[in-house]
Amino acid sequence: MKIVLLGPPGAGKGTQAQRLVETRNIVQLSTGDMLRAAVAAGTPIGIKAKAVMDAGGLVSDDIVIGIVSDRIDENDCRNGFILDGFPRTVAQAEALDRLLAEKGSALDAIIEVIVDEDILMSRIENRIKETLAAGGEVRKDDNPEAFKKRLVAYREQTAPLSEFYASSGRLKTVDGMQSIKLVSELIDEILG
Ligand code: AMP
């Protein structure tokens, strides 16, 4: 099963993706995680991406499409995958369709998690507090300023994706303001 999860930063996509990994025996492909790993490893891609990421902007389409294209060819993706944080632009969505079509495959589900943006800021503040309380390290872009930029990037570059997928009748939506459990159930209903 090949799934795309859409929704603004802080909508709970990562949480839902992790659950689907366990229940559906598929892998989670988070371009954010992959890019953070590249930054930490100091690879050429990481060096290019770091400043943009720290500021809450979007890394170039070429870079992320290349990363995803290589990653979905790996063995552990044979059973399917859930994309979290990709595609983020219409160009990435078109590239994804093309990549899968070349392999004789296609997406099985595109699910948008709809949330109230005003409430996202308090969610992100909670995420920071919880991470610190658990002794974890807070992401560099998890601060109110970068978060606002990520929301703007989402509205300008990623929100048009809903229309892209809706226009071909492929978009399903869930109310992300419900509890994690209920959102999980709604997603399960869509996936069948
Ligand atoms: P995330 O963990 O999904 O919130 O991503 C963290 C950051 O990584 C984003 O703010 C972007 O700078 C970058 N990033 C992740 N995925 C993408 C993507 N598909 N296209 C462009 N930039 C991305």
Side-chain angles (χ1 to χ4, degrees), residues 1-4 72 80-81 83 96-110 165 170:
M1 189 160 240
K2 301 179 185 68
I3 307 165
V4 164
I72 61 178
F81 48 78
L83 285 163
L96 178 61
D97 280 344
R98 230 173 14 247
L99 282 175
L100 293 175
E102 280 165 11
K103 300 174 210 300
S105 175
L107 290 170
D108 297 292
I110 298 136
Y165 286 123
R170 295 190 286 169

Side-chain angles (χ1 to χ4, degrees), residues 27-29 40 46-47 59 78 84 86 92 140 143 147 153 179:
V27 289
Q28 176 188 6
L29 305 184
I47 291 165
V59 175
R78 264 182 316 186
D84 157 22
F86 180 93
Q92 291 178 17
K140 271 222 168 95
N143 62 72
F147 185 74
S179 66

